[in-house]
Amino acid sequence: MFRAVASRAVPRAARPVTQSTFCAPNIYFQGRLRRGYASEAEEKDLVIIGGGVAGYVAAIKAGQSGLKVACIEKRGALGGTCLNVGCIPSKSLLNNSHLYHQILHDTKNRGIEVGDVKLNLAAMMKAKDTSVSGLTKGIEFLFKKNNVEYIKGTGAFKDEHTVAVNLIEGGGETTVRGKNILIATGSEATPFPGLTIDEKKVITSTGAIALQEVPKKMTVIGGGIIGLEMASVWSRLGSEVTVVEYLGQIGGPGMDKDVAKQAQKLLQKQGMKFKLNTKVVSGDADGEGVKVTVEAAKGGKEETLDADVCLVAIGRRPYTNGLGLENIGLEVDERGRLIIDQEYRTKIPHIRAIGDVTFGPMLAHKAEEESVAVIEYITKGYGHVNYGAIPSVMYTHPEVAWVGQNEQELTAANVKYNVGQFPFSANSRAKTNLDTEGFVKMISDAETDRILGIHIIGPNAGEMIAEGVLALEYGASSEDVARTSHAHPTLSEAFKEAAMATYDKAVHY
């Protein structure tokens, strides 16, 4: 069991930089550090490049710890991709498009009769923008509260302790020096060869949250979480959506196979079309719309998909353009990630990196955990992130959420396990809400009953998974969860019943 869990953390532990590289007696580094200091009084304790989730959380935590901090952000608004063009605006659209879809298709059964229902897309986009602006201003307030200097501009290394900043307000350039420097520049959408992103016809998630009209047809390249969430929004609003996925399941390899199968079935029921085990051969956006040529992943007859808009959602890649890494001798690996040790240090020990720009899942909450840990390393000499207990959530309807390992991974690792499952159709709260699709699935070690993974598809899955994360963090058994009282009637009772089914038998199914 522990070998299987550890294998998920290998990319962080297996670093080419040895511990001896960072020892205090290392004369090479001592010399570099001495030469880097011009005047200690002029330096910040910490300079952070990037004001996204990783950067701004680290800045606030550092300020709370009494450090003198400067955070450099080129967007002109804090929060990074997540808050400005990712997690937050997409959830606004997902929530409101779900309400629209529900009013159109799911009110008669609830005793609610409505008249002529119309979509006001401009107003829906305005509601999204209002959510975003309120949150970014909130972060600026927290910066002021914790004495964090906010520098609006693009930062690049001048030397190992100095960052040059091209200011975006008023122009000009300034420099800021730091005893410690944290790289938190995040990631960008991975482009698809042959299709030029214009965020109008060929779009990434950034364009997908800002379309001015509902496309009649949309082709989505990539059936991962981002692709499926954006596909859900526009499908609900009236677009004919086709998702092309190279793998044999949606949701990516982290999603449990049973959950992925159920999710696809329910999304198809909502009107989305899927082409799995299918690769995109080429794309053409020269005409009015976008033509995407596909064929079976193993080869076969080609087929052309016509659409008004094509969403490229094949993943994200670390963003290091213009950072001036060459000026300080920092290199990236074959996937563009900054190489770090277990304390987030690059080969230059006072320069660290966290979040999407380095190893691990590209998730905002993973970046937040690293933000706290890296400040603790700087201020206390120790920190911790449990990479085996990082949840994932897909905010479609029904929601999908999971933490820990899935059946595919455990089977591949030859781990013996037990599985318990409980459907929401047997849950009293779900039945009264008329929202019964999906289930909770729990996996535990066959010998110790320690929980190895939890997978949920159903209402409120994204909130419910927090209990699963806590269970993994504390090493709980399925029996521990099963013997914990859950309020009645609640959706969380399905979680308890799944635990009962794992070590014994569920009562209500």
Side-chain angles (χ1 to χ4, degrees):
M1 176 184 69
F2 295 108
R3 286 196 302 272
V5 173
S7 67
R8 296 167 69 89
V10 165
R12 183 169 299 283
R15 307 287 187 248
V17 183
T18 64
Q19 183 65 31
S20 61
T21 308
F22 300 100
C23 291
N26 191 310
I27 297 174
Y28 171 67
F29 279 127
Q30 286 182 340
R32 284 157 71 112
L33 290 170
R34 280 197 297 270
R35 288 194 299 272
Y37 281 68
S39 171
E40 290 191 29
E42 298 175 3
E43 290 183 325
K44 297 287 186 181
D45 295 313
L46 176 65
V47 174
I48 302 171
I49 308 176
V53 174
Y56 87 71
V57 172
I60 293 170
K61 185 66 177 177
Q64 291 173 343
S65 301
L67 300 183
K68 294 180 180 178
V69 191
C71 183
I72 304 164
E73 170 54 49
K74 71 175 185 177
R75 191 185 297 270
L78 295 167
T81 295
C82 175
L83 202 159
N84 290 278
V85 292
C87 319
I88 300 303
S90 67
K91 302 313 166 283
S92 173
L93 293 178
L94 280 160
N95 181 66
N96 293 335
S97 65
H98 173 61
L99 289 175
Y100 172 72
H101 190 265
Q102 191 172 35
I103 291 169
L104 283 178
H105 304 286
D106 189 31
T107 56
K108 288 184 179 180
N109 294 335
R110 300 174 184 275
I112 303 171
E113 295 184 3
V114 296
D116 189 21
V117 180
K118 295 181 180 179
L119 170 67
N120 186 331
L121 186 59
M124 187 176 285
M125 291 295 176
K126 184 178 179 181
K128 171 206 68 176
D129 294 338
T130 299
S131 300
V132 170
S133 61
L135 288 168
T136 56
K137 290 174 183 175
I139 299 171
E140 286 195 43
F141 167 76
L142 291 173
F143 269 25
K144 293 176 182 177
K145 179 181 177 181
N146 292 285
N147 299 313
V148 175
E149 182 181 356
Y150 174 24
I151 303 174
K152 297 181 180 181
T154 303
F157 282 99
K158 191 172 182 180
D159 59 46
E160 293 175 5
H161 280 279
T162 309
V163 178
V165 185
N166 285 320
L167 301 172
I168 60 175
E169 292 184 352
E173 182 180 286
T174 188
T175 59
V176 57
R177 293 175 58 78
K179 297 175 184 177
N180 296 281
I181 298 177
L182 180 62
I183 302 171
T185 47
S187 61
E188 62 179 350
T190 302
F192 187 85
L195 282 173
T196 302
I197 304 295
D198 61 9
E199 299 297 11
K200 292 180 180 179
K201 283 198 307 181
V202 181
I203 62 176
T204 65
S205 55
T206 299
I209 63 165
L211 292 177
Q212 299 301 302
E213 60 182 29
V214 180
K216 292 181 180 179
K217 288 186 177 183
M218 174 183 282
T219 299
V220 179
I221 304 177
I225 291 177
I226 293 175
L228 293 174
E229 288 184 349
M230 290 296 93
S232 288
V233 168
W234 294 107
S235 175
R236 293 167 184 167
L237 298 182
S239 184
E240 183 182 320
V241 179
T242 301
V243 179
V244 182
E245 171 55 50
Y246 184 82
L247 299 177
Q249 71 166 55
I250 64 171
M255 188 178 290
D256 185 85
K257 60 182 180 181
D258 291 338
V259 172
K261 185 176 180 180
Q262 180 75 353
Q264 183 183 341
K265 177 183 175 182
L266 295 174
L267 291 174
Q268 282 176 328
K269 189 177 177 181
Q270 294 169 22
M272 291 168 57
K273 299 177 182 178
F274 293 91
K275 289 185 175 295
L276 305 186
N277 294 305
T278 303
K279 65 181 178 182
V280 176
V281 178
S282 62
D284 182 4
D286 290 338
E288 261 188 46
V290 184
K291 296 181 182 294
V292 175
T293 302
V294 302
E295 67 177 21
K298 295 182 179 179
K301 186 179 179 180
E302 291 187 353
E303 177 186 1
T304 298
L305 305 176
D306 291 310
D308 303 287
V309 172
C310 177
L311 168 60
V312 178
I314 57 174
R316 298 182 66 83
R317 62 185 184 184
Y319 185 81
T320 57
N321 288 347
L323 257 182
L325 299 180
E326 66 281 359
N327 296 334
I328 55 173
L330 285 187
E331 298 176 350
V332 297
D333 70 3
E334 72 284 353
R335 292 173 59 180
R337 301 173 299 190
L338 280 163
I339 301 169
I340 57 175
D341 71 354
Q342 68 277 5
E343 295 184 17
Y344 309 104
R345 297 176 297 194
T346 65
K347 69 178 183 180
I348 303 173
H350 67 272
I351 300 177
R352 307 183 192 231
I354 58 172
D356 287 5
V357 79
T358 187
F359 301 90
M362 291 183 173
L363 297 169
H365 44 282
K366 171 260 193 185
E368 284 190 84
E369 297 303 315
E370 290 181 336
S371 300
V372 174
V374 77
I375 300 306
E376 290 178 335
Y377 275 121
I378 292 171
T379 58
K380 301 177 182 178
Y382 58 85
H384 172 72
V385 176
N386 182 356
Y387 289 94
I390 303 291
S392 294
V393 183
M394 182 170 78
Y395 296 88
T396 51
H397 187 83
E399 291 181 351
V400 175
W402 70 92
V403 66
Q405 295 167 288
N406 59 42
E407 278 204 71
Q408 304 95 288
E409 293 168 333
L410 293 169
T411 300
N414 294 316
V415 175
K416 294 181 180 180
Y417 59 89
N418 294 324
V419 175
Q421 195 165 302
F422 190 83
F424 282 104
S425 59
N427 174 265
S428 56
R429 185 66 187 274
K431 290 183 79 69
T432 59
N433 290 348
L434 301 181
D435 196 0
T436 58
E437 301 282 12
F439 55 83
V440 179
K441 177 178 179 178
M442 192 171 291
I443 309 172
S444 70
D445 184 271
E447 294 182 10
T448 67
D449 191 36
R450 183 173 181 174
I451 296 172
L452 302 177
I454 295 165
H455 307 269
I456 308 172
I457 175 170
N460 227 34
E463 302 294 338
M464 200 181 302
I465 199 62
E467 182 177 358
V469 178
L470 194 63
L472 278 183
E473 187 67 41
Y474 282 94
S477 66
S478 66
E479 185 175 358
D480 289 331
V481 174
R483 292 186 181 279
T484 301
S485 179
H486 289 62
H488 174 77
T490 60
L491 296 171
S492 67
E493 288 179 287
F495 195 95
K496 173 186 172 74
E497 294 267 13
M500 295 174 71
T502 306
Y503 92 95
D504 189 13
K505 291 182 179 179
V507 170
H508 292 95
Y509 184 67

